[in-house]
Amino acid sequence: MNLLHHVARYAVNQKMGKSLKWEEPGGIVPKERASKSFLYIHVPFCEHICSFCMFNAHKLDRSGSQVADYFAALKKELLMYKDAGFDFGAAYVGGGTPALVHEELAEFLEFVQRHFTLSELSVEANPRVSDAAVESFRAVGVDRFSVGVQSFDDGMLKKLGRESYGSGEEIRERVNQLLGKFRILNVDFIFNVPGHDPEILARDLEIVVEDKIDQLTTYPLMEAQQNRSYVSRQGRIDYDLEAKLYKKVILPALREEYTPVSSWCFSRKDKPDIDMLDEYVVDYFDYVGIGTGSMSLHDSRVRVNAYTIPLYQRMVNSGRLPLVLQTHELPRRDYMQYYLMMALFGRRLSFKQFEQIFGVPFKRAMWLEWLGLKALNLVEEGGDFVYTNERGMYVFLMILREFFTHVNRFRSLAKIASHKLEARQAEGTLTFEPVASGD
């Protein structure tokens, strides 16, 4: 790993691993809120769990009332936030594979829209998404449809355990059938799987360019407790290879036809209305996650929901927000650094917006960080904005990779806390009082 990689890892570890403190979760104090928040909706169901997946996913069981019960709990949790004064202006549905349960999800999205006016709506799917699912999502006004392709190469699909979704050619054909169905069609790719052949990645990107796909998101493989066995079977993650694939393959392949809207998301230059991306945290400083294992950032705290579906549903059905983890109130400077990280991962930071949010000029509040960005030649200043250059784009990719590694650690902590609560229930002592991670 190069020096900047070590700097990125150290900086994130200091903030996320050592400085972040947890407290006993509490409720949300109802209040008037000055602006709309962002809503993340977690739908955890999958046909099978991909071995490289880091997210809270559960195998779909259609034999009983699993899906109906889950969406009933989602509605109750959503209304708790409405009663607490939240107003949502945009939403993202992730998973899991949300499109698997498209009928229930479409009905739930109609429920959301009866209570809130959404200007943006994004939903995830796999390449085997049905025509019926596509039409149901079009009917409820989905703007952005994100398909987890991962690769068009048959060998890579087998390595990822994705061969059940069809051959690379079949997946390519399905993606082309979906083009034009939504305002934005995004395809997800994963790169830097151990031993990732640069020529295979280059061919995948060549197909994206040839087919004029609206948007693609290129995630580096991240290691977490949830996928550690898969990574160890494949071999060590090589961060020098990651840098090579990013700088020598991804950026050159997309430079002519696509604009980077974040360090790992690229939109077609000839479609200026492609203004949404996977990492909603770039554009939204305040967000609420509902559903099992979801995370929220609002009221100066990070919160995590119950990790298991039964516990999540029991807590919601008892009238309690299903929180099992909560941080202490974040210091103002930490918020500023979070804003800096997300804004520059998203390619640009607005001096004006920073001052509107924090009440102090950026260069005065963050003079040390600003000197570092300039000294390392990571950014360029233009008018009211500071932009990352290609060197800076990779640095902030590394920072976000490390950040999401810690976010996945939070999921592990939430899983531990959830199992403790369930153990107390088995002992007859569960009172639905949330448990902190250190309990």
PDB file of all heavy atoms in Angstrom, residues 17-31:
ATOM      1  N   GLY A  17     -13.010   4.288  14.577  1.00  0.00           N
ATOM      2  CA  GLY A  17     -12.671   3.167  15.430  1.00  0.00           C
ATOM      3  C   GLY A  17     -12.382   3.538  16.866  1.00  0.00           C
ATOM      4  O   GLY A  17     -12.632   2.751  17.777  1.00  0.00           O
ATOM      5  N   LYS A  18     -11.848   4.755  17.079  1.00  0.00           N
ATOM      6  CA  LYS A  18     -11.405   5.131  18.421  1.00  0.00           C
ATOM      7  C   LYS A  18     -12.194   6.279  19.020  1.00  0.00           C
ATOM      8  O   LYS A  18     -12.498   6.283  20.213  1.00  0.00           O
ATOM      9  CB  LYS A  18      -9.913   5.467  18.384  1.00  0.00           C
ATOM     10  CG  LYS A  18      -9.035   4.282  18.009  1.00  0.00           C
ATOM     11  CD  LYS A  18      -7.562   4.643  18.038  1.00  0.00           C
ATOM     12  CE  LYS A  18      -6.694   3.429  17.691  1.00  0.00           C
ATOM     13  NZ  LYS A  18      -5.247   3.757  17.716  1.00  0.00           N
ATOM     14  N   SER A  19     -12.534   7.275  18.192  1.00  0.00           N
ATOM     15  CA  SER A  19     -13.183   8.466  18.741  1.00  0.00           C
ATOM     16  C   SER A  19     -14.683   8.311  18.899  1.00  0.00           C
ATOM     17  O   SER A  19     -15.299   8.981  19.725  1.00  0.00           O
ATOM     18  CB  SER A  19     -12.886   9.678  17.832  1.00  0.00           C
ATOM     19  OG  SER A  19     -11.499   9.914  17.781  1.00  0.00           O
ATOM     20  N   LEU A  20     -15.288   7.430  18.104  1.00  0.00           N
ATOM     21  CA  LEU A  20     -16.743   7.285  18.136  1.00  0.00           C
ATOM     22  C   LEU A  20     -17.180   6.560  19.408  1.00  0.00           C
ATOM     23  O   LEU A  20     -16.687   5.477  19.726  1.00  0.00           O
ATOM     24  CB  LEU A  20     -17.202   6.504  16.904  1.00  0.00           C
ATOM     25  CG  LEU A  20     -18.646   6.692  16.451  1.00  0.00           C
ATOM     26  CD1 LEU A  20     -18.911   8.141  16.074  1.00  0.00           C
ATOM     27  CD2 LEU A  20     -18.930   5.792  15.254  1.00  0.00           C
ATOM     28  N   LYS A  21     -18.096   7.158  20.143  1.00  0.00           N
ATOM     29  CA  LYS A  21     -18.567   6.599  21.402  1.00  0.00           C
ATOM     30  C   LYS A  21     -20.045   6.230  21.299  1.00  0.00           C
ATOM     31  O   LYS A  21     -20.826   6.933  20.660  1.00  0.00           O
ATOM     32  CB  LYS A  21     -18.358   7.604  22.544  1.00  0.00           C
ATOM     33  CG  LYS A  21     -16.924   8.101  22.688  1.00  0.00           C
ATOM     34  CD  LYS A  21     -15.947   6.978  23.013  1.00  0.00           C
ATOM     35  CE  LYS A  21     -14.531   7.508  23.191  1.00  0.00           C
ATOM     36  NZ  LYS A  21     -13.552   6.411  23.401  1.00  0.00           N
ATOM     37  N   TRP A  22     -20.403   5.135  21.972  1.00  0.00           N
ATOM     38  CA  TRP A  22     -21.775   4.642  21.929  1.00  0.00           C
ATOM     39  C   TRP A  22     -22.480   4.920  23.247  1.00  0.00           C
ATOM     40  O   TRP A  22     -21.860   4.974  24.306  1.00  0.00           O
ATOM     41  CB  TRP A  22     -21.792   3.143  21.640  1.00  0.00           C
ATOM     42  CG  TRP A  22     -21.168   2.781  20.343  1.00  0.00           C
ATOM     43  CD1 TRP A  22     -19.879   2.408  20.124  1.00  0.00           C
ATOM     44  CD2 TRP A  22     -21.791   2.780  19.067  1.00  0.00           C
ATOM     45  NE1 TRP A  22     -19.656   2.169  18.788  1.00  0.00           N
ATOM     46  CE2 TRP A  22     -20.812   2.391  18.110  1.00  0.00           C
ATOM     47  CE3 TRP A  22     -23.078   3.066  18.611  1.00  0.00           C
ATOM     48  CZ2 TRP A  22     -21.093   2.273  16.761  1.00  0.00           C
ATOM     49  CZ3 TRP A  22     -23.357   2.946  17.258  1.00  0.00           C
ATOM     50  CH2 TRP A  22     -22.373   2.559  16.352  1.00  0.00           C
ATOM     51  N   GLU A  23     -23.796   5.056  23.174  1.00  0.00           N
ATOM     52  CA  GLU A  23     -24.612   5.246  24.368  1.00  0.00           C
ATOM     53  C   GLU A  23     -25.874   4.395  24.241  1.00  0.00           C
ATOM     54  O   GLU A  23     -26.169   3.838  23.182  1.00  0.00           O
ATOM     55  CB  GLU A  23     -24.992   6.720  24.539  1.00  0.00           C
ATOM     56  CG  GLU A  23     -25.903   7.257  23.440  1.00  0.00           C
ATOM     57  CD  GLU A  23     -26.204   8.741  23.615  1.00  0.00           C
ATOM     58  OE1 GLU A  23     -25.491   9.409  24.388  1.00  0.00           O
ATOM     59  OE2 GLU A  23     -27.151   9.218  22.961  1.00  0.00           O
ATOM     60  N   GLU A  24     -26.616   4.293  25.306  1.00  0.00           N
ATOM     61  CA  GLU A  24     -27.872   3.528  25.281  1.00  0.00           C
ATOM     62  C   GLU A  24     -28.861   4.195  24.333  1.00  0.00           C
ATOM     63  O   GLU A  24     -29.119   5.396  24.447  1.00  0.00           O
ATOM     64  CB  GLU A  24     -28.470   3.474  26.682  1.00  0.00           C
ATOM     65  CG  GLU A  24     -29.566   2.433  26.856  1.00  0.00           C
ATOM     66  CD  GLU A  24     -29.025   1.027  27.018  1.00  0.00           C
ATOM     67  OE1 GLU A  24     -27.794   0.847  27.093  1.00  0.00           O
ATOM     68  OE2 GLU A  24     -29.847   0.111  27.084  1.00  0.00           O
ATOM     69  N   PRO A  25     -29.397   3.476  23.354  1.00  0.00           N
ATOM     70  CA  PRO A  25     -30.329   4.103  22.410  1.00  0.00           C
ATOM     71  C   PRO A  25     -31.582   4.616  23.094  1.00  0.00           C
ATOM     72  O   PRO A  25     -32.086   4.015  24.043  1.00  0.00           O
ATOM     73  CB  PRO A  25     -30.668   2.965  21.431  1.00  0.00           C
ATOM     74  CG  PRO A  25     -29.545   2.001  21.565  1.00  0.00           C
ATOM     75  CD  PRO A  25     -29.123   2.070  22.996  1.00  0.00           C
ATOM     76  N   GLY A  26     -32.084   5.721  22.595  1.00  0.00           N
ATOM     77  CA  GLY A  26     -33.328   6.293  23.100  1.00  0.00           C
ATOM     78  C   GLY A  26     -34.282   6.569  21.952  1.00  0.00           C
ATOM     79  O   GLY A  26     -34.022   6.208  20.815  1.00  0.00           O
ATOM     80  N   GLY A  27     -35.372   7.217  22.240  1.00  0.00           N
ATOM     81  CA  GLY A  27     -36.338   7.551  21.208  1.00  0.00           C
ATOM     82  C   GLY A  27     -35.980   8.845  20.505  1.00  0.00           C
ATOM     83  O   GLY A  27     -34.977   9.492  20.805  1.00  0.00           O
ATOM     84  N   ILE A  28     -36.815   9.229  19.553  1.00  0.00           N
ATOM     85  CA  ILE A  28     -36.646  10.481  18.829  1.00  0.00           C
ATOM     86  C   ILE A  28     -37.572  11.517  19.448  1.00  0.00           C
ATOM     87  O   ILE A  28     -38.772  11.277  19.591  1.00  0.00           O
ATOM     88  CB  ILE A  28     -36.968  10.304  17.332  1.00  0.00           C
ATOM     89  CG1 ILE A  28     -36.149   9.146  16.755  1.00  0.00           C
ATOM     90  CG2 ILE A  28     -36.716  11.590  16.572  1.00  0.00           C
ATOM     91  CD1 ILE A  28     -34.658   9.334  16.848  1.00  0.00           C
ATOM     92  N   VAL A  29     -37.031  12.660  19.789  1.00  0.00           N
ATOM     93  CA  VAL A  29     -37.845  13.722  20.366  1.00  0.00           C
ATOM     94  C   VAL A  29     -38.621  14.418  19.247  1.00  0.00           C
ATOM     95  O   VAL A  29     -38.020  14.937  18.303  1.00  0.00           O
ATOM     96  CB  VAL A  29     -36.966  14.748  21.110  1.00  0.00           C
ATOM     97  CG1 VAL A  29     -37.826  15.878  21.657  1.00  0.00           C
ATOM     98  CG2 VAL A  29     -36.186  14.063  22.221  1.00  0.00           C
ATOM     99  N   PRO A  30     -39.953  14.420  19.298  1.00  0.00           N
ATOM    100  CA  PRO A  30     -40.730  15.102  18.251  1.00  0.00           C
ATOM    101  C   PRO A  30     -40.393  16.591  18.189  1.00  0.00           C
ATOM    102  O   PRO A  30     -40.241  17.248  19.227  1.00  0.00           O
ATOM    103  CB  PRO A  30     -42.179  14.884  18.690  1.00  0.00           C
ATOM    104  CG  PRO A  30     -42.128  13.673  19.567  1.00  0.00           C
ATOM    105  CD  PRO A  30     -40.805  13.752  20.279  1.00  0.00           C
ATOM    106  N   LYS A  31     -40.231  17.115  16.981  1.00  0.00           N
ATOM    107  CA  LYS A  31     -39.947  18.541  16.829  1.00  0.00           C
ATOM    108  C   LYS A  31     -40.199  18.962  15.393  1.00  0.00           C
ATOM    109  O   LYS A  31     -40.290  18.130  14.483  1.00  0.00           O
ATOM    110  CB  LYS A  31     -38.508  18.851  17.220  1.00  0.00           C
ATOM    111  CG  LYS A  31     -37.449  18.253  16.296  1.00  0.00           C
ATOM    112  CD  LYS A  31     -36.054  18.666  16.727  1.00  0.00           C
ATOM    113  CE  LYS A  31     -34.995  18.138  15.778  1.00  0.00           C
ATOM    114  NZ  LYS A  31     -33.631  18.546  16.169  1.00  0.00           N
TER     115      LYS A  31
END
